[in-house]
Amino acid sequence: MSFYESLMILERIPFKELWQKYTREDVMRALAKEKLDKEDLLALLSPAAGQHLEEMARKAQRITRSHFGHAVQLFTPMYVADYCVNHCTYCSFSAIHDFPRKKLTLEEVEAEAAAIASTGLRHILLLTGESRKDSPVGYVKDCVKVLRKYFSSISIEVNPLSMEEYKELADAGVDGLTLFQEVYHQETYSKLHVKGPKRNFRARLDAPERGCQAGFRSVNIGALLGLYDWRQEAFMTAMHASYLQDRYPGCEISLSPPRFRPYLGSFNPESDVTDRALVQIILAYRLFLPRSGITLSTREPAELRDRLVHLGVTKMSAGVSTEVGGHTSDGGTPQFEISDSRSVPEIRDMLYSSGLQPVFKDWDILAESSMR
Amino acid sequence: MQDALHIGGKALSSRLFIGTGKYSRNTLIPEVIARSGSEVITVALRRVDPSSREENILSHIPQQMTLLPNTSGARTAEEAVRIARLARAAGMGNWVKIEVINDQRYLLPDNLETIRATEILAAEGFIVLPYMSPDLSAAFRLRDAGAAAVMPLGAPIGSNRGLRTKELISILIEEAGLPVIVDAGIGRPSEAAEAMEMGAAAVLLNTAIATARDPLGMAEAFRGAVAAGRQAYLAGLGPIQQEAEASSPLTGFLNV
Ligand code: SF4
């Protein structure tokens, strides 16, 4: 039994008719409850709830403050390789795009790490394109060895791996896994993932669970919002998170609500996720999963990020470059365009002036290593 | 010092322990300490970054405070032990609050792993204060393992729901044979006072102060409440009468 079986059942929900059925009363009932169920989540994602964002926001803020206080954890992604064997319709790194690919040497990784660490950040998210050949587990592990000299928490966002491979990386000091399903709607998924191993929907869907089994401390999942109906995608993401949380109570499950961004190609998404929609999604996540982390990337513009930190967000990236080696050189191809290009000190100051505390360090790698 | 709380060779005059985790900025901490009168402050080792002068939480804590590093983030006894050793190596002293939590939804402690970690760390000379679910046999085991006190939860962390576990905590106070410090769940000064009236040795708070509209005012309110509750306990609360006492005994005629 994996989330896939649950998903098959959830897919039978007649979403299109259902969304219209929810009323103000359903939304209010969900808001009055302490422990929300699937029905409440649907109500909070429905058009009816769109009229009650303020009430949702008040409760979301209260819950967030009592569980997380005023702390917002900062991290930054670090791209080490952009080789990719997949063809995803919406991404610059897709194998069909012709641009000079890069993979950092370990010396370059070290220089990049030192540059990022000098900004005070202690949490890093190591990213590669998806290529077992060009950025295999061994390479990721070598990078981790370098990174742990500079960072106190290392997460990875790489192609889905086996449980044993995840375990190997956890033993090397990786404590977090980020893996986006991109699209939970299976038909759309196979349309958008034209070529490569990523076409295997189920292999991807089950990977976060393998990460939990391998002992990662935190697992971050998400749908790339805009690729299919956002209400349904947000619902499936939250159900996936709650599935993992129920089975792996020791693992902190976080959610990301990334919106589709311009990239090298010309694909345009079907579903337009407005700012209001994004707010509704974040609030629904927070109310349904009160203790989950919610991660906000620099895909969102600065002004919007400044508002969203009050509504449930607990982790955000800062000082971001989506290019390989982008912190020490330039000229790489960004995976997508970012919207908030503020530096770490700028984000830190923004948080302080919003009455929030930027947390640069929130973990210590405990895995034994000869490097320590 | 009158009515001091003796733990780990220290005599503490304040019975209010505070946390550091949820403030809007660390620069508030010195004043919260001053207004609360607290002498013990818990800090998550995971948040301590000695390499960062500006953001290092320890640089905001006055010298005279007793540091109580906690093992927040630990999911097993082994992890807690490793974190405690790192804290000692980082110069944070030899007090440690064991937190072993395997449930990210309610953040309830794992008593079994907590007992294991306590055994190891007490044997290594740490002054161990374990965060626990209020269970008497677990408290006995923690005492036997060498804990300096036990810290049962009043309600889940951050919930501000007060003394939901009151009955169990009062059993610990009566039976456990070591100081009972109520940790987590206390949201109001009246609840802190109640814990102290019951005979708790101290209370530990974070969310209630850190997320108050005016944290400094709230720190002071808790200082007063803890002192008042303690004084009431020492003064001995009058017994609660279920029925009005008849002014002349109802069975007096039997003695005639
Ligand atoms: S989304 Fe990931 S797998 Fe798809 S093309 Fe981009 S880098 Fe490759």
Side-chain angles (χ1 to χ4, degrees), chain A residues 169-326:
Chain A
L169 291 172
D171 290 342
V174 174
D175 50 66
L177 169 68
T178 289
L179 194 85
F180 294 155
Q181 185 57 30
E182 323 283 16
V183 200
Y184 282 86
H185 187 253
Q186 295 195 59
E187 226 179 279
T188 309
Y189 186 94
S190 50
K191 249 192 276 169
L192 297 177
H193 299 98
V194 185
K195 258 183 78 173
K198 195 167 168 181
R199 273 186 70 74
N200 187 341
F201 180 88
R202 182 151 186 187
R204 192 171 192 87
L205 190 75
D206 290 342
E209 178 158 19
R210 292 197 294 275
C212 294
Q213 289 162 347
F216 288 128
R217 315 185 49 76
S218 67
V219 168
N220 187 31
I221 61 170
L224 182 49
L225 299 166
L227 299 182
Y228 186 68
D229 173 56
W230 62 262
R231 297 182 202 276
Q232 189 171 331
E233 288 292 299
F235 172 75
M236 292 302 188
T237 309
M239 291 307 290
H240 191 186
S242 121
Y243 166 93
L244 294 172
Q245 208 172 55
D246 284 346
R247 276 159 194 78
Y248 307 95
C251 187
E252 187 209 60
I253 308 297
S254 302
L255 297 136
S256 287
R259 283 196 288 184
F260 183 80
R261 291 289 303 152
Y263 71 115
L264 206 58
S266 58
F267 168 77
N268 264 316
E270 277 176 31
S271 146
D272 215 8
V273 189
T274 61
D275 288 357
R276 280 191 77 85
L278 180 67
V279 166
Q280 187 173 351
I281 293 166
I282 291 177
L283 298 176
Y285 283 172
R286 170 54 67 233
L287 297 172
F288 182 62
L289 299 162
R291 284 196 194 269
S292 288
I294 297 182
T295 311
L296 189 65
S297 80
T298 51
R299 287 169 181 264
E300 299 306 334
E303 314 76 62
L304 185 61
R305 295 224 305 166
D306 295 1
R307 308 276 173 192
L308 294 177
V309 290
H310 296 289
L311 303 182
V313 168
T314 55
K315 301 180 191 186
M316 66 198 299
S317 47
V320 171
S321 160
T322 65
E323 300 162 27
V324 172

Side-chain angles (χ1 to χ4, degrees), chain A residues 135-196:
Chain A
S135 39
V137 181
Y139 171 70
V140 174
K141 216 162 110 177
D142 290 342
C143 291
V144 168
K145 275 191 198 148
V146 175
L147 292 180
R148 58 187 292 171
K149 290 192 267 174
Y150 296 88
F151 300 100
S152 67
S153 164
I154 303 169
S155 297
I156 51 164
E157 187 173 343
V158 304
N159 50 296
L161 301 173
S162 70
M163 210 269 272
E164 291 69 33
E165 289 168 322
Y166 282 144
K167 178 110 201 0
E168 204 182 320
L169 291 172
D171 290 342
V174 174
D175 50 66
L177 169 68
T178 289
L179 194 85
F180 294 155
Q181 185 57 30
E182 323 283 16
V183 200
Y184 282 86
H185 187 253
Q186 295 195 59
E187 226 179 279
T188 309
Y189 186 94
S190 50
K191 249 192 276 169
L192 297 177
H193 299 98
V194 185
K195 258 183 78 173

Side-chain angles (χ1 to χ4, degrees), chain B residues 69-142:
Chain B
N70 67 58
T71 65
S72 142
R75 296 174 301 174
T76 61
E78 285 71 31
E79 289 187 347
V81 166
R82 247 179 287 167
I83 293 171
R85 289 177 186 153
L86 282 174
R88 185 153 69 176
M92 295 171 75
N94 68 339
W95 285 41
V96 66
K97 173 181 158 188
I98 310 272
E99 253 183 82
V100 182
I101 289 173
N102 236 313
D103 153 50
Q104 297 305 315
R105 228 169 341 167
Y106 301 101
L107 302 184
L108 294 173
D110 180 333
N111 280 352
L112 206 64
E113 292 291 301
T114 303
I115 293 165
R116 289 183 48 221
T118 301
E119 277 165 359
I120 299 170
L121 292 170
E124 291 181 12
F126 281 91
I127 306 301
V128 183
L129 288 82
Y131 174 55
M132 68 176 310
S133 280
D135 170 84
L136 185 60
S137 23
F140 286 148
R141 297 212 161 88
L142 288 166

Side-chain angles (χ1 to χ4, degrees), chain A residues 84 86-88 90-95 128-130 182 198 335:
Chain A
C84 189
N86 292 302
H87 176 191
C88 307
Y90 47 83
C91 174
S92 303
F93 289 174
S94 158
T128 65
E130 300 201 5
E182 323 283 16
K198 195 167 168 181
Q335 188 186 23

